[in-house]
Amino acid sequence: MVGQWVLLAYRIPRQPSTLRITIWRKLDRLGVARLGDGLVALPADARSREHLEWLAEEIGELGGSSTIWLAAPGNAAQEKAIAADMRRARVAEYREVIAQVEAAAHARPGERSRAVKRLRAELRRIGRRDYFPPAQRETARQAVRALAQAMEGAE
């Protein structure tokens, strides 16, 4: 089963480096698959295409160049490999949330309350770039829920 992907091929001026870093951070927030230098991909849907089109426009405004492509991997194995790379990146993020929940469990009540709010927001941010949800997503959600419930029970 090979699906369609939206690709962004781009070039950004080397100087000033802050422009490149800004674009890289925005790409990271989107959870793109990095296919090569200046080539990223997301599973094709209206939202991902729109996000990459906005970035393409911004790259042009910064003096760079870019093109948007719709494409399909050559075979299912290639697509699975790309999806696995994207999933691994989200696994690391969910594991970090779980570690933060464990640390917050031993914090003072006010700190725990702030941690719950921050971790819920972090789960939403990760969820926006989680195209191939791993099992750790539900584990992280349950951990944040349990922390919130423990906090409510302590009050």
Side-chain angles (χ1 to χ4, degrees):
M1 178 177 130
V2 177
Q4 194 161 48
W5 291 69
V6 58
L7 281 67
L8 170 65
Y10 67 94
R11 291 175 54 128
I12 305 169
R14 292 216 178 271
Q15 296 299 324
S17 61
T18 54
L19 301 177
R20 296 171 71 80
I21 293 167
T22 298
I23 296 300
W24 290 340
R25 286 182 178 156
K26 288 180 180 187
L27 289 168
D28 285 344
R29 280 194 299 270
L30 291 175
V32 300
R34 295 184 184 278
L35 303 180
D37 190 29
L39 181 62
V40 298
L42 287 173
D45 65 20
R47 190 182 112 227
S48 61
R49 185 173 177 171
E50 182 176 39
H51 284 300
L52 289 182
E53 286 173 350
W54 287 341
L55 268 175
E57 188 174 311
E58 185 173 345
I59 289 167
E61 291 169 359
L62 297 173
S65 61
S66 61
T67 55
I68 299 286
W69 297 80
L70 292 177
N75 58 51
Q78 289 174 344
E79 184 172 53
K80 285 180 184 177
I82 295 167
D85 286 345
M86 293 174 79
R87 189 177 296 112
R88 272 191 292 280
R90 300 302 77 80
V91 165
E93 292 175 330
Y94 287 125
R95 284 186 176 151
E96 179 60 27
V97 167
I98 293 166
Q100 289 179 31
V101 166
E102 291 167 0
H106 305 293
R108 293 187 307 241
E111 291 173 7
R112 267 188 296 195
S113 176
R114 286 187 296 278
V116 167
K117 289 178 186 175
R118 182 177 43 76
L119 291 169
R120 284 178 175 158
E122 182 63 14
L123 284 175
R124 284 190 300 276
R125 281 189 293 276
I126 296 168
R128 286 193 292 268
R129 60 182 169 262
D130 190 359
Y131 294 91
F132 305 99
Q136 289 80 359
R137 175 172 74 172
E138 191 53 36
T139 304
R141 286 178 175 176
Q142 289 174 356
V144 172
R145 260 194 306 272
L147 180 63
Q149 289 170 347
M151 191 181 65
E152 291 169 4
E155 292 176 352

